[in-house]
C-alpha cells in the first residue's frame, strides 16, 4: 500500500511539474508572439515607430490651416499615417521612405470641392527628385519642390459628405539616404529624405490673396 501511495505521489508531482512547464512554455510563446496590432507592435515592442494613435486629430475646414511640427495639433499618426518622421521638428516633418501617406479629414457642410495648398521643402541636391501625387488610387500630378527651399503646390479634391477623410499618397523618385549624408542616428537608420511638409491651407482659389 505504501509503494502504491508513493508511486501515485510521484506521478502527481511529475504531472504538476509537466503542467507548470507547459504553462511557462505557453507564457513564453505568447510573450514572443503577442497578438497585437501593427501600430502597437511597432511602437511598444519593435521600437521601429515613434507613433501611437491618440484619436484626436483635428479636421481641416474651409479657410483653415493645418501646420505640422513638434507639438502641433495635426502632427499625429492619424494624419501622418505612413512614411513621415512623426517625432517632428519645430517647422514640420520630413518624409522618410520611398512613399508617404497623409490621411486628411476635411470638414464642410457647404463645399463640394476643396483646394488645398501644400507648403513643402524639397531635398534634391542632384536635381533628380520627382514627387508623384495620388489621391486614393488616382494619379493626380507630379511636383518638383526646390532643393531646401519652400515651395507651394495646390491640389483640388472632391467632397461628398460633411466629414470627408481622404488619403493622399506621395511617391518619391529619388529620396536620399540619411547614411549618405552622414546624418543617420545608427546603423539601423534606413530613413530616406524626399520632402519636408510644413503645412496645408484650405484656400479659396478665386481670392486674390491666394493667387499665384
Amino acid at each position: 500500500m505504501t509503494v502504491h501511495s508513493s508511486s501515485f505521489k510521484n506521478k502527481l508531482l511529475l504531472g504538476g511539474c509537466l503542467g507548470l512547464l507547459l504553462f511557462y512554455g505557453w507564457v513564453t510563446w505568447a510573450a514572443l508572439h503577442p497578438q497585437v496590432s501593427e501600430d502597437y507592435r511597432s511602437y511598444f515592442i519593435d521600437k521601429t515607430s515613434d507613433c501611437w494613435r491618440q484619436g484626436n486629430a483635428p479636421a481641416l475646414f474651409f479657410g483653415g490651416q493645418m501646420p505640422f511640427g513638434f507639438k502641433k495639433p495635426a502632427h499625429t499618426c492619424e494624419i501622418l499615417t505612413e512614411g513621415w518622421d512623426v517625432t517632428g521638428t519645430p517647422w514640420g516633418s520630413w518624409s522618410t521612405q520611398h512613399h508617404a501617406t497623409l490621411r486628411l479629414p476635411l470638414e464642410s457642410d457647404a463645399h463640394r470641392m476643396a483646394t488645398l495648398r501644400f507648403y513643402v521643402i524639397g531635398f534634391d541636391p542632384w536635381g533628380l527628385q520627382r514627387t508623384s501625387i495620388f489621391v486614393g488610387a488616382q494619379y493626380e500630378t507630379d511636383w518638383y519642390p526646390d532643393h531646401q527651399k519652400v515651395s507651394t503646390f495646390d491640389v483640388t479634391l472632391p467632397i461628398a459628405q460633411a466629414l470627408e477623410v481622404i488619403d493622399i499618397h506621395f511617391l518619391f523618385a529619388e529620396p536620399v539616404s540619411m547614411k549618405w549624408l552622414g546624418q543617420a542616428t545608427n546603423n539601423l537608420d534606413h530613413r530616406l529624405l524626399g520632402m519636408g511638409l510644413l503645412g496645408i491651407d484650405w484656400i479659396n482659389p478665386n481670392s486674390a490673396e491666394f493667387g499665384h
Side-chain angles (χ1 to χ4, degrees):
M1 188 71 179
T2 304
V3 173
H4 288 297
S5 177
S6 176
S7 176
F8 176 76
K9 289 181 179 179
N10 288 338
K11 289 180 179 179
L12 188 62
L13 181 61
L14 179 61
C17 290
L18 288 174
L20 283 174
L21 286 174
L22 288 173
F23 174 75
Y24 286 123
W26 177 84
V27 170
T28 301
W29 183 91
L32 295 175
H33 303 83
Q35 301 300 308
V36 296
S37 69
E38 288 300 317
D39 288 341
Y40 186 99
R41 175 182 292 278
S42 297
Y43 184 83
F44 289 105
I45 300 173
D46 297 338
K47 305 297 184 182
T48 56
S49 172
D50 296 306
C51 176
W52 184 244
R53 298 178 188 274
Q54 301 297 321
N56 58 355
L60 182 61
F61 52 88
F62 179 71
Q65 299 178 327
M66 182 178 281
F68 293 95
F70 185 60
K71 291 188 176 181
K72 299 292 195 308
H75 199 96
T76 71
C77 304
E78 291 183 276
I79 293 177
L80 300 169
T81 58
E82 183 180 7
W84 302 98
D85 178 9
V86 295
T87 58
T89 62
W91 56 263
S93 178
W94 283 109
S95 63
T96 58
Q97 299 178 21
H98 282 282
H99 65 276
T101 298
L102 288 175
R103 180 160 294 159
L104 285 179
L106 304 176
E107 185 175 335
S108 174
D109 58 1
H111 297 83
R112 292 295 171 260
M113 301 295 290
T115 298
L116 306 183
R117 177 155 295 176
F118 290 76
Y119 295 81
V120 302
I121 298 177
F123 196 86
D124 187 18
W126 299 289
L128 301 174
Q129 185 61 272
R130 180 184 73 252
T131 302
S132 298
I133 314 302
F134 295 79
V135 176
Q138 179 67 41
Y139 167 77
E140 290 293 323
T141 187
D142 290 334
W143 294 353
Y144 296 88
D146 293 331
H147 178 55
Q148 293 187 333
K149 295 181 180 179
V150 177
S151 302
T152 61
F153 298 93
D154 296 350
V155 175
T156 299
L157 309 173
I159 300 177
Q161 50 194 357
L163 181 60
E164 190 83 46
V165 180
I166 299 177
D167 285 347
I168 301 179
H169 307 284
F170 304 84
L171 182 64
F172 306 103
E174 297 289 342
V176 183
S177 169
M178 296 281 280
K179 289 185 178 181
W180 297 351
L181 302 172
Q183 297 183 22
T185 57
N186 55 63
N187 290 331
L188 299 177
D189 188 348
H190 301 297
R191 291 178 299 166
L192 303 170
L193 292 185
M195 183 183 78
L197 178 64
L198 288 77
I200 307 170
D201 291 351
W202 184 343
I203 68 171
N204 178 358
N206 300 316
S207 170
E209 176 185 0
F210 294 107
H212 286 285

